Amino acid sequence: MDALSVTLISAVTSGAISLTLAWVSGRQQRRDSERVQRETRTMAYLNPLRWHTAEVHHRLSLYATSVDRDGCYPPAQVLTDPREMEGKGADWFAGKGVVLASSVWMTACLFAQMTRTRHDLPFLRLAGNDDTRLPGLLQKVHAAFAACEIYYATQSSIGTDALLEPEGRLRSYREFCDLLAEPDRRVWADPVTWFLIAVAHGERRPALQRALDALSELSAFLDDSLAGGASLRARHGAEIHRPRGGSPVTGAGAGAGGDLGAGAGAGSGPDAGVGRGRVPSLSPHPIPAPGPDPSPDPVLRPIPAPGPNSGPDPVPRPTPDPGPRPGPEPGAGPGLDAGQGPDPGP
């Protein structure tokens, strides 16, 4: 074989290898790009859905726990008819009516996230059987709220109203309150308001429990799919205020609960919902009450006063310096006590 043939074969082989490597590299890059886009899209849908599911579950748990304990939920007993919202000013929505109005807003945001997820579900890539379980769990939540007389078609409409076009973002609480103040827009959210008013007066408890169970199941699924922690446990635990050296405290008096404490006394904020130092366990996933203060540093804990039978002090304390001691008074000779003059003699 002459040198020209060898050179030609080498060039063809090198070109074929380069083309193959370029094709494989381009294909791998396209697959990586598609995978990143799918993961980004999935996180953009499922993470907001997970967050709003936990928020609505927590808020409805406050209603349920207060009704079970006291027979009603006073912070939301501000209306007897949704039409009474007409003419309410911003001070009412930011004060006395904040618990009821924000509950309607949170539920509308959940409906918006559920509607967006159902519409774009074919573009989401989930592992295993999650792509079939997610639609079933969403439908279960829809059915639970339909049993509360918030029907499926109405849920989608309420969720659409919670979206602000063309940005596609959710309305803030203030922007949603502007809708509630308009009779033609408020009427679509009236089923949610009617249900919350009834629950606040101690009615519709079985329907409320069905919604809580469906939300709890959806939340557990989303936690597993996103490999995250227990969002319901974290959301309920965020309302616990644990003072140093004391037992856990919840409620407006402890500075927790956000808008739940507005317009209510210290015993009708979050404390009216979660109880005195306990967390509601209304779902199949019980949420244990927090334990004692885990701080290992004894210096950070208050030191109790010594008792009659207390042992030696485990924490050495420096002996206070008493300062310079007074010397003998002027005129006192050696060996004489202070304050005693010289012997006057016979």
Side-chain angles (χ1 to χ4, degrees):
M1 183 178 295
D2 54 10
L4 179 61
S5 299
V6 172
T7 302
L8 182 60
I9 293 174
S10 300
V12 171
T13 303
S14 177
I17 293 175
S18 298
L19 289 175
T20 301
L21 291 176
W23 178 78
V24 172
S25 177
R27 182 181 179 185
Q28 184 63 36
Q29 289 179 358
R30 288 192 301 271
R31 293 178 64 180
D32 291 343
S33 177
E34 292 173 357
R35 177 179 56 82
V36 171
Q37 291 178 0
R38 285 196 304 267
E39 291 178 354
T40 302
R41 190 184 300 116
T42 300
M43 297 292 285
Y45 282 92
L46 297 189
N47 263 338
L49 176 61
R50 178 190 182 201
W51 188 85
H52 284 97
T53 300
E55 283 294 309
V56 173
H57 183 279
H58 173 72
R59 179 59 65 92
L60 294 181
S61 296
L62 299 182
Y63 283 74
T65 309
S66 181
V67 168
D68 291 343
R69 187 186 64 200
D70 303 324
C72 62
Y73 186 46
Q77 292 180 314
V78 293
L79 298 176
T80 57
D81 191 312
R83 289 173 293 185
E84 297 175 16
M85 288 187 183
E86 299 177 14
K88 298 292 187 184
D91 56 342
W92 187 86
F93 286 104
K96 183 178 180 181
V98 67
V99 174
L100 179 62
S102 63
S103 300
V104 178
W105 169 65
M106 288 180 182
T107 307
C109 290
L110 173 64
F111 290 160
Q113 296 295 352
M114 293 172 62
T115 301
R116 291 175 59 182
T117 303
R118 287 180 64 89
H119 285 173
D120 294 337
L121 190 61
F123 304 100
L124 301 180
R125 183 66 178 269
L126 302 176
N129 298 326
D130 289 355
D131 56 344
T132 57
R133 284 196 63 203
L134 179 58
L137 292 174
L138 291 176
Q139 184 60 39
K140 192 171 183 178
V141 175
H142 279 302
F145 279 101
C148 305
E149 298 184 1
I150 310 170
Y151 301 114
Y152 175 74
T154 308
Q155 296 175 31
S156 299
S157 177
I158 296 171
T160 303
D161 282 343
L163 292 172
L164 190 64
E165 300 296 344
E167 297 94 329
R169 66 174 179 86
L170 291 173
R171 293 181 185 270
S172 66
Y173 173 65
R174 179 179 178 179
E175 293 168 337
F176 191 78
C177 289
D178 292 339
L179 297 183
L180 294 179
E182 300 178 13
D184 294 341
R185 305 293 297 274
R186 186 218 71 243
V187 67
W188 293 104
D190 279 359
V192 180
T193 309
W194 275 117
F195 173 68
L196 294 173
I197 291 174
V199 170
H201 286 81
E203 305 172 7
R204 311 300 303 276
R205 184 63 178 84
L208 174 62
Q209 187 60 49
R210 179 177 175 180
L212 283 169
D213 293 341
L215 290 170
S216 177
E217 191 172 355
L218 175 61
S219 178
F221 166 80
L222 293 172
D223 289 342
D224 294 338
S225 296
L226 298 174
S231 54
L232 293 187
R233 186 189 307 273
R235 182 61 187 86
H236 286 284
E239 297 291 338
I240 301 300
H241 171 67
R242 183 180 296 134
R244 179 68 59 182
S247 59
V249 177
T250 60
D259 54 15
L260 287 178
S268 58
D271 188 50
V274 296
R276 298 175 176 81
R278 59 188 181 88
V279 180
S281 298
L282 301 172
S283 68
H285 310 280
I287 303 172
D293 188 354
S295 174
D297 189 354
V299 178
L300 298 180
R301 299 197 186 105
I303 301 174
N309 299 324
S310 59
D313 190 352
V315 181
R317 298 178 174 82
T319 303
D321 186 2
R325 298 183 180 180
E329 294 184 2
L336 298 177
D337 294 337
Q340 179 181 358
D343 186 0

PDB file of all heavy atoms in Angstrom, residues 76-100:
ATOM      1  N   ALA A  76     -62.602  34.499  62.936  1.00  0.00           N
ATOM      2  CA  ALA A  76     -63.253  34.529  61.625  1.00  0.00           C
ATOM      3  C   ALA A  76     -64.738  34.838  61.712  1.00  0.00           C
ATOM      4  O   ALA A  76     -65.416  34.865  60.688  1.00  0.00           O
ATOM      5  CB  ALA A  76     -63.046  33.191  60.907  1.00  0.00           C
ATOM      6  N   GLN A  77     -65.248  35.063  62.898  1.00  0.00           N
ATOM      7  CA  GLN A  77     -66.673  35.368  63.066  1.00  0.00           C
ATOM      8  C   GLN A  77     -66.896  36.877  62.942  1.00  0.00           C
ATOM      9  O   GLN A  77     -67.336  37.540  63.868  1.00  0.00           O
ATOM     10  CB  GLN A  77     -67.178  34.856  64.411  1.00  0.00           C
ATOM     11  CG  GLN A  77     -67.221  33.336  64.517  1.00  0.00           C
ATOM     12  CD  GLN A  77     -67.730  32.876  65.874  1.00  0.00           C
ATOM     13  OE1 GLN A  77     -67.314  33.366  66.914  1.00  0.00           O
ATOM     14  NE2 GLN A  77     -68.644  31.916  65.860  1.00  0.00           N
ATOM     15  N   VAL A  78     -66.595  37.414  61.783  1.00  0.00           N
ATOM     16  CA  VAL A  78     -66.705  38.854  61.560  1.00  0.00           C
ATOM     17  C   VAL A  78     -67.805  39.183  60.549  1.00  0.00           C
ATOM     18  O   VAL A  78     -68.128  40.366  60.367  1.00  0.00           O
ATOM     19  CB  VAL A  78     -65.358  39.419  61.066  1.00  0.00           C
ATOM     20  CG1 VAL A  78     -64.313  39.323  62.165  1.00  0.00           C
ATOM     21  CG2 VAL A  78     -64.871  38.690  59.816  1.00  0.00           C
ATOM     22  N   LEU A  79     -68.343  38.166  59.884  1.00  0.00           N
ATOM     23  CA  LEU A  79     -69.402  38.366  58.906  1.00  0.00           C
ATOM     24  C   LEU A  79     -70.455  37.275  59.078  1.00  0.00           C
ATOM     25  O   LEU A  79     -70.161  36.194  59.595  1.00  0.00           O
ATOM     26  CB  LEU A  79     -68.862  38.309  57.464  1.00  0.00           C
ATOM     27  CG  LEU A  79     -67.835  39.345  57.010  1.00  0.00           C
ATOM     28  CD1 LEU A  79     -67.386  39.028  55.588  1.00  0.00           C
ATOM     29  CD2 LEU A  79     -68.386  40.746  57.090  1.00  0.00           C
ATOM     30  N   THR A  80     -71.650  37.580  58.623  1.00  0.00           N
ATOM     31  CA  THR A  80     -72.698  36.561  58.519  1.00  0.00           C
ATOM     32  C   THR A  80     -73.100  36.327  57.072  1.00  0.00           C
ATOM     33  O   THR A  80     -73.811  35.364  56.776  1.00  0.00           O
ATOM     34  CB  THR A  80     -73.943  36.974  59.326  1.00  0.00           C
ATOM     35  OG1 THR A  80     -74.412  38.243  58.861  1.00  0.00           O
ATOM     36  CG2 THR A  80     -73.596  37.072  60.814  1.00  0.00           C
ATOM     37  N   ASP A  81     -72.613  37.188  56.162  1.00  0.00           N
ATOM     38  CA  ASP A  81     -72.937  37.087  54.742  1.00  0.00           C
ATOM     39  C   ASP A  81     -71.779  37.712  53.963  1.00  0.00           C
ATOM     40  O   ASP A  81     -71.303  38.803  54.326  1.00  0.00           O
ATOM     41  CB  ASP A  81     -74.241  37.826  54.431  1.00  0.00           C
ATOM     42  CG  ASP A  81     -74.768  37.541  53.032  1.00  0.00           C
ATOM     43  OD1 ASP A  81     -73.973  37.627  52.072  1.00  0.00           O
ATOM     44  OD2 ASP A  81     -75.973  37.246  52.888  1.00  0.00           O
ATOM     45  N   PRO A  82     -71.302  37.053  52.899  1.00  0.00           N
ATOM     46  CA  PRO A  82     -70.191  37.631  52.131  1.00  0.00           C
ATOM     47  C   PRO A  82     -70.498  39.006  51.557  1.00  0.00           C
ATOM     48  O   PRO A  82     -69.582  39.806  51.332  1.00  0.00           O
ATOM     49  CB  PRO A  82     -69.972  36.597  51.008  1.00  0.00           C
ATOM     50  CG  PRO A  82     -70.501  35.320  51.558  1.00  0.00           C
ATOM     51  CD  PRO A  82     -71.657  35.701  52.427  1.00  0.00           C
ATOM     52  N   ARG A  83     -71.781  39.310  51.323  1.00  0.00           N
ATOM     53  CA  ARG A  83     -72.119  40.618  50.776  1.00  0.00           C
ATOM     54  C   ARG A  83     -71.789  41.756  51.728  1.00  0.00           C
ATOM     55  O   ARG A  83     -71.718  42.920  51.322  1.00  0.00           O
ATOM     56  CB  ARG A  83     -73.611  40.641  50.418  1.00  0.00           C
ATOM     57  CG  ARG A  83     -73.959  39.787  49.200  1.00  0.00           C
ATOM     58  CD  ARG A  83     -75.459  39.704  48.996  1.00  0.00           C
ATOM     59  NE  ARG A  83     -76.105  38.959  50.072  1.00  0.00           N
ATOM     60  CZ  ARG A  83     -77.415  38.666  50.082  1.00  0.00           C
ATOM     61  NH1 ARG A  83     -78.197  39.069  49.091  1.00  0.00           N
ATOM     62  NH2 ARG A  83     -77.929  37.974  51.085  1.00  0.00           N
ATOM     63  N   GLU A  84     -71.553  41.413  52.983  1.00  0.00           N
ATOM     64  CA  GLU A  84     -71.181  42.456  53.939  1.00  0.00           C
ATOM     65  C   GLU A  84     -69.783  43.002  53.680  1.00  0.00           C
ATOM     66  O   GLU A  84     -69.389  44.016  54.277  1.00  0.00           O
ATOM     67  CB  GLU A  84     -71.275  41.906  55.360  1.00  0.00           C
ATOM     68  CG  GLU A  84     -72.682  41.491  55.776  1.00  0.00           C
ATOM     69  CD  GLU A  84     -72.706  40.846  57.158  1.00  0.00           C
ATOM     70  OE1 GLU A  84     -71.714  40.988  57.894  1.00  0.00           O
ATOM     71  OE2 GLU A  84     -73.715  40.191  57.486  1.00  0.00           O
ATOM     72  N   MET A  85     -69.012  42.340  52.803  1.00  0.00           N
ATOM     73  CA  MET A  85     -67.695  42.875  52.441  1.00  0.00           C
ATOM     74  C   MET A  85     -67.808  44.138  51.599  1.00  0.00           C
ATOM     75  O   MET A  85     -66.847  44.907  51.509  1.00  0.00           O
ATOM     76  CB  MET A  85     -66.888  41.823  51.670  1.00  0.00           C
ATOM     77  CG  MET A  85     -66.391  40.670  52.495  1.00  0.00           C
ATOM     78  SD  MET A  85     -65.302  39.607  51.521  1.00  0.00           S
ATOM     79  CE  MET A  85     -64.950  38.316  52.713  1.00  0.00           C
ATOM     80  N   GLU A  86     -68.946  44.336  50.933  1.00  0.00           N
ATOM     81  CA  GLU A  86     -69.118  45.509  50.088  1.00  0.00           C
ATOM     82  C   GLU A  86     -68.993  46.772  50.936  1.00  0.00           C
ATOM     83  O   GLU A  86     -69.605  46.891  51.996  1.00  0.00           O
ATOM     84  CB  GLU A  86     -70.475  45.465  49.391  1.00  0.00           C
ATOM     85  CG  GLU A  86     -70.644  44.263  48.472  1.00  0.00           C
ATOM     86  CD  GLU A  86     -72.036  44.205  47.857  1.00  0.00           C
ATOM     87  OE1 GLU A  86     -72.746  45.222  47.929  1.00  0.00           O
ATOM     88  OE2 GLU A  86     -72.409  43.154  47.324  1.00  0.00           O
ATOM     89  N   GLY A  87     -68.196  47.669  50.447  1.00  0.00           N
ATOM     90  CA  GLY A  87     -68.012  48.929  51.156  1.00  0.00           C
ATOM     91  C   GLY A  87     -66.978  48.881  52.258  1.00  0.00           C
ATOM     92  O   GLY A  87     -66.724  49.916  52.896  1.00  0.00           O
ATOM     93  N   LYS A  88     -66.397  47.708  52.522  1.00  0.00           N
ATOM     94  CA  LYS A  88     -65.360  47.632  53.549  1.00  0.00           C
ATOM     95  C   LYS A  88     -64.088  48.317  53.049  1.00  0.00           C
ATOM     96  O   LYS A  88     -63.683  48.158  51.903  1.00  0.00           O
ATOM     97  CB  LYS A  88     -65.054  46.181  53.912  1.00  0.00           C
ATOM     98  CG  LYS A  88     -66.234  45.414  54.505  1.00  0.00           C
ATOM     99  CD  LYS A  88     -66.629  45.928  55.864  1.00  0.00           C
ATOM    100  CE  LYS A  88     -67.696  45.038  56.502  1.00  0.00           C
ATOM    101  NZ  LYS A  88     -68.162  45.583  57.800  1.00  0.00           N
ATOM    102  N   GLY A  89     -63.461  49.060  53.915  1.00  0.00           N
ATOM    103  CA  GLY A  89     -62.238  49.747  53.552  1.00  0.00           C
ATOM    104  C   GLY A  89     -61.000  48.910  53.813  1.00  0.00           C
ATOM    105  O   GLY A  89     -61.070  47.783  54.340  1.00  0.00           O
ATOM    106  N   ALA A  90     -59.866  49.481  53.458  1.00  0.00           N
ATOM    107  CA  ALA A  90     -58.602  48.762  53.638  1.00  0.00           C
ATOM    108  C   ALA A  90     -58.325  48.486  55.109  1.00  0.00           C
ATOM    109  O   ALA A  90     -57.697  47.474  55.443  1.00  0.00           O
ATOM    110  CB  ALA A  90     -57.456  49.560  53.024  1.00  0.00           C
ATOM    111  N   ASP A  91     -58.813  49.377  55.994  1.00  0.00           N
ATOM    112  CA  ASP A  91     -58.563  49.156  57.412  1.00  0.00           C
ATOM    113  C   ASP A  91     -59.268  47.900  57.916  1.00  0.00           C
ATOM    114  O   ASP A  91     -58.778  47.215  58.821  1.00  0.00           O
ATOM    115  CB  ASP A  91     -59.010  50.373  58.217  1.00  0.00           C
ATOM    116  CG  ASP A  91     -60.468  50.734  57.969  1.00  0.00           C
ATOM    117  OD1 ASP A  91     -61.025  50.278  56.936  1.00  0.00           O
ATOM    118  OD2 ASP A  91     -61.065  51.460  58.782  1.00  0.00           O
ATOM    119  N   TRP A  92     -60.432  47.561  57.343  1.00  0.00           N
ATOM    120  CA  TRP A  92     -61.135  46.337  57.753  1.00  0.00           C
ATOM    121  C   TRP A  92     -60.391  45.104  57.257  1.00  0.00           C
ATOM    122  O   TRP A  92     -60.202  44.141  58.013  1.00  0.00           O
ATOM    123  CB  TRP A  92     -62.564  46.342  57.197  1.00  0.00           C
ATOM    124  CG  TRP A  92     -63.395  45.202  57.700  1.00  0.00           C
ATOM    125  CD1 TRP A  92     -64.119  45.151  58.854  1.00  0.00           C
ATOM    126  CD2 TRP A  92     -63.576  43.917  57.060  1.00  0.00           C
ATOM    127  NE1 TRP A  92     -64.745  43.932  58.985  1.00  0.00           N
ATOM    128  CE2 TRP A  92     -64.427  43.143  57.889  1.00  0.00           C
ATOM    129  CE3 TRP A  92     -63.109  43.354  55.879  1.00  0.00           C
ATOM    130  CZ2 TRP A  92     -64.812  41.851  57.571  1.00  0.00           C
ATOM    131  CZ3 TRP A  92     -63.489  42.060  55.560  1.00  0.00           C
ATOM    132  CH2 TRP A  92     -64.331  41.319  56.394  1.00  0.00           C
ATOM    133  N   PHE A  93     -59.948  45.127  56.001  1.00  0.00           N
ATOM    134  CA  PHE A  93     -59.228  43.970  55.446  1.00  0.00           C
ATOM    135  C   PHE A  93     -57.860  43.796  56.114  1.00  0.00           C
ATOM    136  O   PHE A  93     -57.338  42.680  56.172  1.00  0.00           O
ATOM    137  CB  PHE A  93     -59.049  44.127  53.936  1.00  0.00           C
ATOM    138  CG  PHE A  93     -60.304  43.905  53.148  1.00  0.00           C
ATOM    139  CD1 PHE A  93     -61.002  44.973  52.622  1.00  0.00           C
ATOM    140  CD2 PHE A  93     -60.799  42.625  52.941  1.00  0.00           C
ATOM    141  CE1 PHE A  93     -62.155  44.780  51.893  1.00  0.00           C
ATOM    142  CE2 PHE A  93     -61.951  42.415  52.217  1.00  0.00           C
ATOM    143  CZ  PHE A  93     -62.649  43.497  51.687  1.00  0.00           C
ATOM    144  N   ALA A  94     -57.283  44.858  56.596  1.00  0.00           N
ATOM    145  CA  ALA A  94     -55.986  44.764  57.283  1.00  0.00           C
ATOM    146  C   ALA A  94     -56.126  44.619  58.777  1.00  0.00           C
ATOM    147  O   ALA A  94     -55.119  44.429  59.471  1.00  0.00           O
ATOM    148  CB  ALA A  94     -55.138  46.001  56.969  1.00  0.00           C
ATOM    149  N   GLY A  95     -57.353  44.681  59.288  1.00  0.00           N
ATOM    150  CA  GLY A  95     -57.556  44.590  60.724  1.00  0.00           C
ATOM    151  C   GLY A  95     -58.548  43.521  61.105  1.00  0.00           C
ATOM    152  O   GLY A  95     -58.230  42.336  61.132  1.00  0.00           O
ATOM    153  N   LYS A  96     -59.770  43.931  61.377  1.00  0.00           N
ATOM    154  CA  LYS A  96     -60.763  43.007  61.908  1.00  0.00           C
ATOM    155  C   LYS A  96     -61.052  41.844  60.971  1.00  0.00           C
ATOM    156  O   LYS A  96     -61.242  40.712  61.425  1.00  0.00           O
ATOM    157  CB  LYS A  96     -62.054  43.772  62.200  1.00  0.00           C
ATOM    158  CG  LYS A  96     -63.151  42.933  62.826  1.00  0.00           C
ATOM    159  CD  LYS A  96     -64.382  43.782  63.138  1.00  0.00           C
ATOM    160  CE  LYS A  96     -65.483  42.919  63.776  1.00  0.00           C
ATOM    161  NZ  LYS A  96     -66.691  43.740  64.067  1.00  0.00           N
ATOM    162  N   GLY A  97     -61.071  42.083  59.672  1.00  0.00           N
ATOM    163  CA  GLY A  97     -61.441  41.028  58.727  1.00  0.00           C
ATOM    164  C   GLY A  97     -60.295  40.260  58.139  1.00  0.00           C
ATOM    165  O   GLY A  97     -60.492  39.464  57.214  1.00  0.00           O
ATOM    166  N   VAL A  98     -59.067  40.452  58.664  1.00  0.00           N
ATOM    167  CA  VAL A  98     -57.901  39.866  58.010  1.00  0.00           C
ATOM    168  C   VAL A  98     -57.910  38.340  58.078  1.00  0.00           C
ATOM    169  O   VAL A  98     -57.466  37.666  57.145  1.00  0.00           O
ATOM    170  CB  VAL A  98     -56.599  40.436  58.628  1.00  0.00           C
ATOM    171  CG1 VAL A  98     -56.426  39.979  60.066  1.00  0.00           C
ATOM    172  CG2 VAL A  98     -55.398  40.034  57.806  1.00  0.00           C
ATOM    173  N   VAL A  99     -58.405  37.748  59.149  1.00  0.00           N
ATOM    174  CA  VAL A  99     -58.381  36.288  59.272  1.00  0.00           C
ATOM    175  C   VAL A  99     -59.275  35.651  58.220  1.00  0.00           C
ATOM    176  O   VAL A  99     -58.861  34.742  57.484  1.00  0.00           O
ATOM    177  CB  VAL A  99     -58.806  35.866  60.690  1.00  0.00           C
ATOM    178  CG1 VAL A  99     -58.915  34.345  60.782  1.00  0.00           C
ATOM    179  CG2 VAL A  99     -57.802  36.371  61.703  1.00  0.00           C
ATOM    180  N   LEU A 100     -60.502  36.125  58.111  1.00  0.00           N
ATOM    181  CA  LEU A 100     -61.431  35.552  57.142  1.00  0.00           C
ATOM    182  C   LEU A 100     -60.991  35.857  55.718  1.00  0.00           C
ATOM    183  O   LEU A 100     -60.941  34.947  54.868  1.00  0.00           O
ATOM    184  CB  LEU A 100     -62.836  36.093  57.394  1.00  0.00           C
ATOM    185  CG  LEU A 100     -63.932  35.594  56.441  1.00  0.00           C
ATOM    186  CD1 LEU A 100     -64.091  34.090  56.572  1.00  0.00           C
ATOM    187  CD2 LEU A 100     -65.252  36.303  56.730  1.00  0.00           C
TER     188      LEU A 100
END
